[in-house]
Amino acid sequence: MKIKEIKVIVCSPGRNFVTVKVITDEGVYGIGDGTVNGRELAVVSYLKDHIAPTLIGKDPLRTEDIWQYLYKGAYWRRGPITMAAIAAIDMALWDIKAKVANMPLYQLLGGRSRDKVMIYKHVGGLDISEVTEGVIAMREQGLDAIRAQVSIPGLPPIYGTGPSTDQAAGGMIKPMVTEEVWATHKYMPLVPKLFEKLRDAVGWDVHLLHDVHHRLTPIEAARLGKDLEPYRLFWLEDAVPAELQEGFRIIRQHTTQPLAVGEIFNSVYDTTTLIQEQLIDYIRVTAVHAGGVTGIKKIFDFASIYHVKSACHGPMDMSPATMGANIHVDTAINNFGIQEFTGYTKETYDVFKCDWRYDRGYLYPNETPGHGTDIDEDLAAKYPYAAAYLPVARLEDGSMTSW
Ligand code: EZ4
Ligand code: CO
């Protein structure tokens, strides 16, 4: 079997997605996701101009060798664009391998370790009572894990808080760069009040999560973790920007609040201090941004040795192909923690045909061969690429800050 053709498909059914279709000389094909939100066309060029021509004629079943060929062979290792391009090819190759084996992908990754994959969704609101109503409603939809975010009085709603920036409505992606405002001292006292109210409203059977989105310093995160301890959060996510892995030592010294990080990581080398020193509890790498099925499987196996669990990043800016790949890894590994899943718009589900399924707080892998996601190319062509940007954030004095 040989790789005959690699198509790179860009479409925007509500938001931009970069998809590869690897086609073999025997007619079997595989689908992979290479979407990097707001930087999509860089991956398109990497795939079209630099990768695709070197893979024609290669054996698509040599997934590990092709992964190493692209990783070591590039010389310029790691980075989000390189690793998303490798991921797109890798996911497609695993899809082909599972189709050739006539098995769902999870069988090739060790087989089933669990019956269902627990997910969490997001609730945001302009004030605590609005968030509480949202969490109660989501609980009624069967969710056992819910992420809660609230707007800060005195500041306009920003990403992950008010309904105006609700991702589900596509609100955070704008045709121009928008500028948001951040003030840590206004945020810090509010979050414990939110979770106090939520525990009163929905009790202790439900997992509650919160995403700080890289906005604190280590000592501030330590304070917030301590203040949240009474409410027993499932996790505190991205408490600080994590390029400086050692920063987590400070947080860990001060709080028993479980910690999650890693949605923007792309390699196991982003995680070594965090995992080996057991500074985190959940590692958030996801198939598209960390080198595909091959990439995240290596990271999760490494994490398993140090009591760190998986928690694949999964909002709607990674395509259903990534979600399919994630669900199969989630199903197969022992150290699964949770899967983020916000769902997709109708337009996205029309373009991407999914055999895996969602039902009341849980995801279920397909039993059909492959990772269970395909693309309708004709329909995709009706949704051309549209330039879109994530927001940036400034402090109240106008200086740039992390978000
Ligand atoms: O902001 O994927 O936990 N989820 C998140 C996401 C990220 C987006 C950025 O493209 O923080 O919603
Ligand atoms: Co996040």
Side-chain angles (χ1 to χ4, degrees), residues 142-345:
L143 272 285
D144 284 333
I146 301 163
R147 191 192 85 167
Q149 313 287 128
V150 67
S151 281
I152 305 166
L155 293 181
I158 56 168
Y159 163 72
T161 60
S164 65
T165 53
D166 186 348
Q167 286 195 77
M172 83 191 255
I173 302 302
K174 301 273 164 55
M176 299 292 289
V177 179
T178 53
E179 304 213 344
E180 300 185 333
V181 186
W182 180 251
T184 293
H185 68 291
K186 296 181 181 173
Y187 162 80
M188 292 274 280
L190 191 64
V191 185
K193 286 189 194 128
L194 168 66
F195 285 94
E196 181 182 16
K197 182 74 195 300
L198 291 179
R199 281 298 179 207
D200 283 348
V202 292
W204 297 85
D205 282 352
V206 58
H207 299 301
L208 297 176
L209 296 74
H210 182 70
D211 189 353
V212 181
H213 223 272
H214 315 112
R215 285 164 172 143
L216 299 180
T217 64
I219 200 67
E220 289 164 351
R223 173 80 264 159
L224 183 62
K226 260 175 134 78
D227 290 349
L228 287 171
E229 278 175 23
Y231 314 112
R232 306 278 171 104
L233 268 57
F234 185 87
W235 79 35
L236 191 63
E237 173 182 339
D238 289 348
V240 299
E243 298 97 317
L244 184 71
Q245 296 182 48
E246 298 88 327
F248 278 74
R249 289 181 189 144
I250 296 171
I251 312 174
R252 203 59 153 176
Q253 274 162 22
H254 293 288
T255 179
T256 57
Q257 168 58 58
L259 303 170
V261 78
E263 65 182 46
I264 66 170
F265 292 176
N266 47 69
S267 137
V268 71
Y269 300 105
D270 297 324
T271 72
T272 44
T273 301
L274 290 169
I275 290 176
Q276 281 178 302
E277 293 187 22
Q278 301 179 61
L279 301 178
I280 56 170
D281 303 279
Y282 298 92
I283 179 71
R284 304 224 341 103
V285 288
T286 195
V288 59
H289 298 139
V293 172
T294 300
I296 62 171
K297 183 71 166 56
K298 287 179 197 296
I299 296 170
F300 292 153
D301 286 347
F302 170 61
S304 73
I305 300 167
Y306 298 94
H307 302 285
V308 176
K309 291 185 176 177
S310 77
C312 290
H313 190 209
M316 46 173 55
D317 52 279
M318 36 232 70
S319 93
T322 284
M323 195 54 63
N326 286 350
I327 294 166
H328 284 266
V329 174
D330 295 339
T331 299
I333 60 174
N334 175 257
N335 61 321
F336 168 75
I338 199 167
Q339 169 69 56
E340 185 180 22
F341 179 72
T342 55
Y344 293 99
T345 62

Side-chain angles (χ1 to χ4, degrees), residues 118-170:
M118 182 170 72
I119 67 104
Y120 70 94
K121 291 195 183 207
H122 306 174
V123 172
L126 290 175
D127 57 32
I128 288 176
S129 67
E130 195 179 306
V131 182
T132 308
E133 279 169 33
V135 168
I136 291 168
M138 207 156 261
R139 193 75 178 116
E140 283 162 4
Q141 292 165 30
L143 272 285
D144 284 333
I146 301 163
R147 191 192 85 167
Q149 313 287 128
V150 67
S151 281
I152 305 166
L155 293 181
I158 56 168
Y159 163 72
T161 60
S164 65
T165 53
D166 186 348
Q167 286 195 77

